[in-house]
Amino acid sequence: MARPEQVLLLEPQHELKFRGPFSDVVTTNLKLSNPTDRNVCFKVKTTAPRRYCVRPNSGIIDAGTSINVSVMLQPFDYDPNEKSKHKFMVQSVVAPPDMTDMEGVWKEAKPEELMDSKLRCAFDMPAENEKTHDMESNKMSSSLLKSDSSSLTTKSMSSTLDDGEVKKIMEECKRLQMEAQRLREENKQIREDDGLRMRKSNMMSSQHSSVGMKREEGLSLRSVALIVLFFVVGAIVGKLVL
């Protein structure tokens, strides 16, 4: 039995074009539209899954709506003599009204209910001058986007701050500056107090050392006097005995 005709509208219909250079990721878009009055489940498959990244690769398209699928070709060494054999297939099935599990719908779908469309891939490598022009235009567009985003950010910030908020911010800055100055002065005072305490402790330790030295000198003088006294007494006793 022949498969039913695809209900989804594909744009492009037959071919996905990828424009080089292919030293970086190249992205092309595939638009899927559902013109029917019922929801449709879809899947996007490829014959080279390692070469492409597809987001989203499956989902549900509500009645009368569309979805953009990003197909990202991974970097590779391009050979102009090699023709692309990669293909994509968009598979779809009408979702039942009481659907709760999309994977269950695919498992229970009958072959005659499945619809598919095939697309081939084409690689287009621009000439050298076109490549340079594309790179320059990409740089210009990125720089313009950056400048626009920065100007928009500045404008949005200035528009969101009124005079009252600016005044509050200025007062808060002054308060923080005064607080920082106070902390610096407290830190300076603490350092001075620490230096004074260190000097006092050094003086006290030197005084204790001098007292100790005097005590040692006094003890040594007493010892010498006693020795001399004993020597004199011994001499006198010796003369009396003789």
Side-chain angles (χ1 to χ4, degrees):
M1 181 181 293
R3 290 180 179 270
E5 187 178 355
Q6 177 68 269
V7 296
L8 296 179
L9 300 179
L10 280 63
E11 184 180 345
Q13 295 182 356
H14 306 294
E15 188 177 68
L16 292 175
K17 290 185 178 181
F18 298 89
R19 184 175 176 82
F22 302 104
S23 56
D24 201 354
V25 176
V26 180
T27 303
T28 188
N29 293 320
L30 172 63
K31 184 177 180 180
L32 304 178
S33 302
N34 179 12
T36 68
D37 56 355
R38 297 182 62 181
N39 297 343
V40 176
C41 301
F42 76 93
K43 282 185 178 181
V44 180
K45 301 180 179 179
T46 177
T47 57
R50 294 185 179 181
R51 297 286 294 274
Y52 299 90
C53 181
V54 182
R55 293 291 182 274
N57 58 2
S58 63
I60 302 174
I61 306 177
D62 295 335
T65 63
S66 61
I67 189 172
N68 285 321
V69 177
S70 296
V71 182
M72 291 163 277
L73 172 63
Q74 303 305 304
F76 72 103
D77 295 329
Y78 175 72
D79 185 1
N81 297 322
E82 181 182 357
K83 293 185 179 180
S84 173
K85 298 179 181 179
H86 303 162
K87 293 180 181 180
F88 276 83
M89 181 177 70
V90 178
Q91 198 172 37
S92 63
V93 62
V94 177
D98 55 348
M99 185 194 72
T100 57
D101 181 17
M102 186 175 65
E103 290 300 324
V105 172
W106 288 107
K107 290 179 181 179
E108 296 175 1
K110 299 177 181 179
E112 59 270 17
E113 295 176 345
L114 298 175
M115 299 165 283
D116 58 59
S117 300
K118 294 181 175 62
L119 299 95
R120 60 180 178 271
C121 297
F123 300 149
D124 181 18
M125 176 64 79
E128 197 65 30
N129 56 352
E130 292 181 2
K131 188 191 304 181
T132 305
H133 180 267
D134 290 342
M135 293 176 66
E136 290 178 353
S137 62
N138 289 333
K139 288 181 180 179
M140 289 178 63
S141 61
S142 62
S143 61
L144 286 173
L145 285 172
K146 289 181 180 178
S147 61
D148 290 343
S149 61
S150 60
S151 61
L152 285 172
T153 304
T154 306
K155 289 179 180 178
S156 61
M157 288 179 65
S158 60
S159 61
T160 53
L161 294 176
D162 56 11
D163 295 338
E165 292 177 348
V166 172
K167 187 176 180 180
K168 288 181 181 179
I169 292 173
M170 294 298 293
E171 291 177 353
E172 183 68 16
C173 290
K174 289 182 180 179
R175 188 186 66 80
L176 292 174
Q177 289 176 356
M178 292 175 65
E179 184 70 17
Q181 181 65 25
R182 185 181 65 81
L183 291 174
R184 282 196 294 268
E185 291 177 356
E186 288 183 357
N187 190 22
K188 183 179 179 182
Q189 186 65 34
I190 291 171
R191 288 181 179 177
E192 292 177 355
D193 294 342
D194 290 340
L196 183 60
R197 283 196 295 270
M198 290 179 66
R199 286 196 293 272
K200 286 183 178 180
S201 62
N202 291 332
M203 290 176 64
M204 291 178 67
S205 61
S206 62
Q207 288 177 359
H208 286 301
S209 62
S210 62
V211 170
M213 290 176 66
K214 288 180 180 179
R215 287 180 180 177
E216 291 177 358
E217 290 176 358
L219 291 173
S220 61
L221 289 174
R222 289 178 183 177
S223 300
V224 171
L226 288 173
I227 292 170
V228 172
L229 180 61
F230 289 153
F231 178 75
V232 173
V233 170
I236 294 171
V237 171
K239 287 180 179 181
L240 290 174
V241 172
L242 293 173

